[in-house]
Amino acid sequence: MATRVVTAMDVTLYLFFLLTLTALVEAAGRGVNNDNKGGLGASFIFGDSLVDAGNNNYLPTLSRANMKPNGIDFKASGGNPTGRFTNGRTIGDIVGEELGSANYAIPFLSPNATGKALLAGVNYASGGGGIMNGTGRIFVNRLGMDIQVDFFNTTRKQFDGLLGKEKAKEYISKKSIFSITIGANDFLNNYLFPLLSVGTRFTQTPDDFIGDMLEHLRDQLTRLYKLDARKFVIGNVGPIGCIPYQKTINQLNEDECVDLANKLANQYNFRLKNLLEELNKKLPGAMFVHANVYDLVMELITNYKKYGFKSATKACCGNGGQYAGIIPCGPTSSLCEERDKYVFWDPYHPSEAANVIIAKQLLYGDIKVISPVNLSKLRDM
């Protein structure tokens, strides 16, 4: 019997086959067709500039981040700006990665947001957007939460076409997570904004305004529930009185924050938690998870050295005032050398380094920061 000589070409082809097979297995493990209980289906992201992945690129708006050096550390784009309001990944990006999403949730307004690309998830978030429809009108255009839910309704119909009605419903209700990060702009660019809020602040007390916010949010979350959303995570409003913009325009010391802004955030946050507890009892099969972003960010600001940061007051990228907190990040901005040493990337938004710490707490933290379950457990429910 003839003996076949194994050549270098044979070895090369065999190794190539193994590498290809390994890659396919890994892709299947993270892919959108994964039938394992622990797999994440789609990541649906709603909110404002904290999680905008590029929707505002497609709007005639003053709220944009599609210019350098934004995105300088975003590896997926080779360091080019994508419309994310940070130097790298948003919290939504990081959470999706950790939970096993095949790709980043694609911006709804992107021309590529069609077909199977939707199955990994869709991002509806918009810089300047808020719970209230009037929020952010200073930016001319933005997508408020009502419009974002309207857009999800469009996506929901597309899923029926992609998977069939029965599988689409199961994929969305049992495998997918709905993330909502919104509310800060309703204070910063609505109730507290001097040029826009005079009438509102004369006619509405803070309690009344917050009550309106929560009634609108209740309706928006209920609409999503009626479209088969079941797994929700809702972030509360962070310490908006401590961002570089607020510190700069109010000429505060490093260890000071704007008391009124933080007081309003805490009033809203207390009532938000009560709303989510109510919805958990009222809407069968739903799980509304409360993410305590306020305490997570305040911890980073207060004990920044403990986490390896050099500054929790100054924007890494920005201009104007003591904390570079007036002019948003752009090509003419000053830029810090050690971007991973700053809690804040620009006058308003955390750096990727801060986002990683926050995201890991949301994924694996205890009930002090995320309740009633963390996101790794929510995925597997």
Side-chain angles (χ1 to χ4, degrees), residues 266-296:
N266 277 312
Q267 284 181 253
Y268 168 82
N269 291 344
F270 177 79
R271 294 174 66 179
L272 172 68
K273 192 168 186 181
N274 290 338
L275 171 63
L276 299 183
E277 289 173 355
E278 175 194 324
L279 291 176
N280 272 326
K281 295 175 183 176
K282 183 179 178 182
L283 300 178
M287 173 61 78
F288 289 88
V289 172
H290 174 261
N292 188 0
V293 176
Y294 186 99
D295 283 355
L296 286 172

Side-chain angles (χ1 to χ4, degrees), residues 5 15 48 55-56 69 76 91 107 113 119 173 188 191 203 217 226 245 265 267 291 294 299 318 330 347 357:
V5 177
L15 290 174
D48 53 31
N55 279 306
N56 277 24
I91 292 173
L119 295 176
S173 62
L188 292 174
Y191 195 75
T203 58
L217 184 62
K226 290 178 178 177
Y245 171 74
Q267 284 181 253
Y294 186 99
E299 166 67 12
I357 294 171

Side-chain angles (χ1 to χ4, degrees), residues 43-66:
S43 176
F44 296 110
I45 298 173
F46 303 78
D48 53 31
S49 56
L50 290 168
V51 288
D52 186 350
N55 279 306
N56 277 24
N57 295 353
Y58 306 98
L59 295 174
T61 177
L62 299 177
S63 179
R64 283 193 176 192
N66 60 339

Side-chain angles (χ1 to χ4, degrees), residues 330-342:
T332 61
S333 300
S334 60
L335 183 64
C336 69
E337 292 184 3
E338 298 177 287
R339 298 184 290 275
D340 61 344
K341 301 296 183 184
Y342 283 68

Side-chain angles (χ1 to χ4, degrees), residues 152-316:
F152 174 71
N153 187 32
T154 299
T155 302
R156 180 66 189 82
K157 293 172 184 175
Q158 290 172 307
F159 266 73
D160 282 346
L162 285 167
L163 301 176
K165 288 189 175 182
E166 187 176 334
K167 286 187 177 179
K169 183 174 182 178
E170 180 180 3
Y171 193 77
I172 289 168
S173 62
K174 295 184 178 180
K175 290 181 175 291
S176 302
I177 291 179
F178 290 72
S179 171
I180 294 96
T181 304
I182 206 159
N185 283 324
D186 293 285
F187 296 114
L188 292 174
N189 295 306
N190 189 333
Y191 195 75
L192 292 174
F193 197 84
L195 297 176
L196 300 177
S197 65
V198 174
T200 302
R201 290 169 73 176
F202 273 124
T203 58
Q204 279 193 304
T205 66
D207 275 345
D208 288 341
F209 182 75
I210 290 167
D212 276 355
M213 284 177 64
L214 290 167
E215 281 306 307
H216 277 76
L217 184 62
R218 179 202 304 275
D219 291 344
Q220 291 153 358
L221 295 176
T222 303
R223 285 177 63 200
L224 289 173
Y225 175 84
K226 290 178 178 177
L227 292 168
D228 295 323
R230 291 296 182 270
K231 298 181 182 183
F232 297 84
V233 54
I234 293 90
N236 65 11
V237 173
I240 52 178
C242 303
I243 62 177
Y245 171 74
Q246 288 286 330
K247 283 177 174 282
T248 299
I249 65 171
N250 289 282
Q251 299 181 334
L252 301 183
N253 295 325
E254 286 197 8
D255 60 349
E256 292 180 309
C257 296
V258 178
D259 185 61
L260 175 59
N262 282 354
K263 184 179 178 181
L264 289 171
N266 277 312
Q267 284 181 253
Y268 168 82
N269 291 344
F270 177 79
R271 294 174 66 179
L272 172 68
K273 192 168 186 181
N274 290 338
L275 171 63
L276 299 183
E277 289 173 355
E278 175 194 324
L279 291 176
N280 272 326
K281 295 175 183 176
K282 183 179 178 182
L283 300 178
M287 173 61 78
F288 289 88
V289 172
H290 174 261
N292 188 0
V293 176
Y294 186 99
D295 283 355
L296 286 172
V297 176
M298 187 60 86
E299 166 67 12
L300 287 184
I301 292 171
T302 306
N303 300 305
Y304 64 94
K305 291 182 180 177
K306 170 183 170 183
Y307 297 93
F309 294 106
K310 286 172 50 177
S311 173
T313 55
K314 188 174 182 180
C316 172

